[in-house]
Amino acid sequence: MEIKTRTGSPYPLGATFDGKGVNFSIYSENAEAVELCLFDSPTDAEESTRIRIKERTHQVWHVYIPDIGPGQLYGYRVYGAYEPTNGLRFNPHKLLIDPYAKAINGTLQWNDALFGYEVGNPDGDLSFSEIDSAPFIPKCVVIDTSFDWEGDTPLRIPMHKSIIYETHVKGFTATHPDIPEAIRGSYSALAHPASISYLKSLGVTAIELMPVHHFITDRHLQEKGLTNYWGYNTIGFFAPDVRYAATGTHGEQVREFKEMVKALHQAGIEVILDVVYNHTGEGNEMGPTLSFRGIDNSAYYRLADEPRYYMDFTGTGNTLNARLPNVLRLIMDSLRYWIQEMHVDGFRFDLASALARELHEVDKLSSFFDVIHQDPVISQAKLIAEPWDIGEGGYQVGEFPPGWAEWNGKYRDCVRDYWIGADSMLGEFANRITGSSDLYRDDYRTPAASINFVTAHDGFTLHDLVTYNEKHNEANGEDNNDGDSHNRSWNCGVEGETTDGEINALRAQQKRNLLTTLFLSQGVPMLVAGDEFGRTQKGNNNAYCQDNEISWLNWKEQDEKLLTFTKQLIALRKEHPIFCRRKWFQGMPIKGAGLEDIAWFLPEGTEMEDSHWQNDFARSLAVFLNGQGIRSLNDDGTKVVDQSFYIMFNAFWEPIEYTLPPMKYSKRWVKVLDTAFEKIERSEEFEAEQKVKVGPRSIVVLMATEKI
């Protein structure tokens, strides 16, 4: 059947339905010809129609086709030189995914046809494959963007008041007994009243979803019966992954995602996406040709001095070239789309240092940051960096520019070290729990620049952190060689699960210590889904390929006491602004004398001096937080005030007697939290300068009974 076409427009890129037809637009700088391929069914082995695109404007190829609309399946074939040694890998035998596709129907079916070269040929990637890949690659879908948001607007919860809950769309609901089995593991399940009720009862203000951009599973994982569960292998930066759709695959996944966001917003919960713009799922020179490589390899990727090969700062085989205008535009268009069309509230950038690299070095003045800062839409979203990559100089904690928050890896390491009793300076511990001013203050950032976490998706869960000294990743099929071997964990005396009551009691107390430290620290706390009720991965600290009970939340085996403790702890933080200050403490946080808003004490009740911070054997200290010294204003212009608090940390393995500070700090105190106990409740009262016994490996929190 002959298809009528019109010139169309170069912008916007992608497939855009205007109510009468669809405009198709794709960027390729070095292509010699581009064909648009239309399909009638996702199971079709070949396209029903090929349309040679004749119009080209500034490296953008475009065509308009009337009388087609949402649900239309399509892909591209791009012609040009196949010269891998010159960085060119065009191969029209390979059907290609549109980088701007808003929906992708189905998942990749691995076959040798997906590779631009002949698999098994002695010449490797220098050979040329003439096998058609169309039967094995998922097709792009034209979508209808119309949606009734019912007045939904950004929640704009202040960063310093945020409590982030890192979770996985499927893992959170895969076994939830109160969610219909037919929708478990989907966007719809996350929007289900049972999910939202739980999140509200927990008290978090935002969920940070592990990657939902359409991704691929590596061939070697699939051949081993495993999968890319985490999703850090993107191939579609605009398309919500079809695996998490319960309502359909012809664009319904887009509507389902929007319904999820709307429901969460109605519950007062923001949505932050973990995004992977540093690389794609096409791998190195021996990887498949799925999209960018075949559209214009050298115009999307960072190539080595010998352009047959790729610069790899990500450990995945390739790195997107964020120095190029078209790649920057792709990233910015994607971010803007998720904010404006999908209503998400922020982003956590995976391996963000890779995006900031200019030639080789990480540059915080790079074009990537410049473009984001000047964008009136993206700059207003929550921007969180994973401030490292695997390249030289890639560990950039504290080095990102104003406007950015960072996963604070130094916080994680320091807090873990403190509670396992490793030799470390008390000064660093004090810096970490007061917002890490040594990392962020000089850049005019606030304590909210520090995303504090003790655990994340990558590594041990909280339960496993106190249960295992060694990783146990045998299920990953790599002979336990994958994953980090230095976990700063402590099994409390026995490796793995035990029936020993004393060890289990100590483990439970260590969990409470770590959680209490996290939620009473200045900065933004991030909790990993399931840590609040003792989720275990059986010692697996790299469960990226485990789409099963190892990774899923086990709703039937919850530690109810730990869950109650965590809810009470979050409520305590939210009730008292002293724990989520918007501004820094005055002066150097680890200096004690003469400070109005904070003071540090030895167990003897005397203020700490400079020399005390250098003792690497010290395990115990106390901090006074002055509720009158917050120095911030409420929305109505009134001064933020709170009760004063006195927090005693004892990481020593024996009890320690603390002497409370003089009357000028408070005449009377009441105990509101003691991690030696499973419940948070008010109990004993103490007078100024009275002695308080703090148990081994415990935190005791006292609140002043009057405002000074």
Side-chain angles (χ1 to χ4, degrees), residues 418 426 430 589-609 612-613 618-626 645-649 656-666 669 689:
Y418 179 77
L426 283 179
I590 64 171
K591 304 291 185 182
L595 287 185
E596 179 184 345
D597 51 7
I598 188 169
W600 299 90
F601 292 86
L602 295 170
E604 295 83 355
T606 57
E607 286 200 46
M608 295 180 68
E609 300 176 356
H612 297 133
W613 297 108
R619 302 282 182 271
S620 309
L621 78 164
V623 59
F624 167 77
L625 303 177
N626 187 347
F645 283 81
Y646 195 74
I647 308 174
M648 293 166 280
F649 296 90
I656 290 182
E657 199 169 58
Y658 282 70
T659 301
L660 296 182
M663 191 177 297
K664 69 176 183 178
Y665 294 97
S666 180
W669 301 91
E689 301 186 64

Side-chain angles (χ1 to χ4, degrees), residues 365-408:
L365 299 178
S366 74
S367 51
F368 172 71
F369 294 122
D370 292 341
V371 173
I372 280 186
H373 284 162
Q374 62 79 38
D375 190 286
V377 174
I378 302 170
S379 62
Q380 299 309 302
K382 287 181 168 67
L383 303 174
I384 302 170
E386 182 185 34
W388 50 78
D389 63 21
I390 69 165
E392 183 179 353
Y395 192 74
Q396 293 287 313
V397 174
E399 297 298 325
F400 278 66
W404 285 79
E406 302 176 17
W407 271 27
N408 191 344

Side-chain angles (χ1 to χ4, degrees), residues 171-188:
F172 185 74
T173 62
T175 68
H176 200 299
D178 297 330
I179 294 176
E181 191 170 349
I183 68 168
R184 290 178 190 172
S186 69
Y187 305 119
S188 295

Side-chain angles (χ1 to χ4, degrees), residues 199-210:
L199 293 169
K200 289 186 69 174
S201 71
L202 188 56
V204 298
T205 68
I207 57 170
E208 181 176 300
L209 298 179
M210 292 176 66

Side-chain angles (χ1 to χ4, degrees), residues 142 170 341 373 394 500 504 519 591 613:
V142 176
K170 182 175 183 179
E341 290 291 330
H373 284 162
D500 188 306
N504 284 331
F519 284 105
K591 304 291 185 182
W613 297 108

Side-chain angles (χ1 to χ4, degrees), residues 276-534:
V276 190
Y277 293 111
N278 55 76
H279 73 279
T280 79
E282 291 186 302
N284 62 16
E285 69 277 3
M286 303 305 292
T289 297
L290 309 175
S291 179
F292 306 90
R293 174 173 284 136
I295 293 169
D296 200 338
N297 186 57
S298 62
Y300 284 101
Y301 291 115
R302 298 192 67 152
L303 303 182
D305 292 339
E306 189 176 343
R308 175 183 176 184
Y309 305 105
Y310 297 81
M311 298 180 74
D312 183 10
F313 297 113
T314 64
T316 65
N318 68 59
T319 305
L320 272 178
N321 194 347
R323 297 172 59 218
L324 298 176
N326 62 294
V327 177
L328 272 176
R329 179 176 58 196
L330 171 76
I331 296 172
M332 301 306 146
D333 286 350
S334 171
L335 293 170
R336 209 175 294 112
Y337 174 79
W338 287 97
I339 296 169
Q340 294 180 314
E341 290 291 330
M342 308 296 260
H343 282 212
V344 304
D345 303 279
F347 307 92
R348 178 264 189 190
F349 292 78
D350 177 67
L351 300 182
S353 294
L355 295 169
R357 288 183 180 272
E358 283 296 295
L359 293 176
H360 293 279
E361 295 182 354
V362 178
D363 180 6
K364 63 181 179 181
L365 299 178
S366 74
S367 51
F368 172 71
F369 294 122
D370 292 341
V371 173
I372 280 186
H373 284 162
Q374 62 79 38
D375 190 286
V377 174
I378 302 170
S379 62
Q380 299 309 302
K382 287 181 168 67
L383 303 174
I384 302 170
E386 182 185 34
W388 50 78
D389 63 21
I390 69 165
E392 183 179 353
Y395 192 74
Q396 293 287 313
V397 174
E399 297 298 325
F400 278 66
W404 285 79
E406 302 176 17
W407 271 27
N408 191 344
K410 291 186 177 181
Y411 179 95
R412 171 199 59 204
D413 296 345
C414 177
V415 170
R416 288 187 181 191
D417 281 347
Y418 179 77
W419 285 111
I420 66 176
D423 290 344
S424 60
M425 298 294 181
L426 283 179
E428 185 183 2
F429 181 70
N431 260 327
R432 299 297 156 249
I433 65 174
T434 54
S436 296
S437 64
D438 58 324
L439 299 177
Y440 307 115
R441 188 169 188 167
D442 289 344
D443 284 336
Y444 303 100
R445 288 191 278 177
T446 68
S450 179
I451 305 297
N452 299 329
F453 65 105
V454 176
T455 59
H457 66 270
D458 188 0
F460 281 146
T461 65
L462 182 66
H463 176 83
D464 292 356
L465 191 67
V466 300
T467 307
Y468 297 92
N469 282 354
E470 309 296 335
K471 62 183 181 180
H472 297 270
N473 298 353
E474 290 79 9
N476 295 356
E478 299 181 40
D479 297 323
N480 204 32
N481 290 319
D482 63 304
D484 196 345
S485 297
H486 183 48
N487 293 283
R488 292 180 161 90
S489 62
W490 178 45
N491 63 19
C492 298
V494 173
E495 184 73 359
E497 303 297 334
T498 180
T499 57
D500 188 306
E502 289 187 7
I503 289 178
N504 284 331
L506 176 56
R507 288 174 176 175
Q509 185 162 326
Q510 286 287 76
K511 292 179 202 175
R512 296 193 293 271
N513 288 332
L514 291 162
L515 288 169
T516 300
T517 304
L518 175 65
F519 284 105
L520 299 190
S521 293
Q522 303 298 324
V524 180
M526 184 185 79
L527 178 70
V528 177
D531 275 0
E532 70 273 18
F533 57 68

Side-chain angles (χ1 to χ4, degrees), residues 82 84 89 91 116-129 308:
Y82 186 82
R89 294 178 178 269
N91 188 334
Y117 61 92
E118 292 182 346
V119 176
N121 188 300
D123 292 332
D125 64 304
L126 298 180
S127 62
F128 185 75
S129 168
R308 175 183 176 184

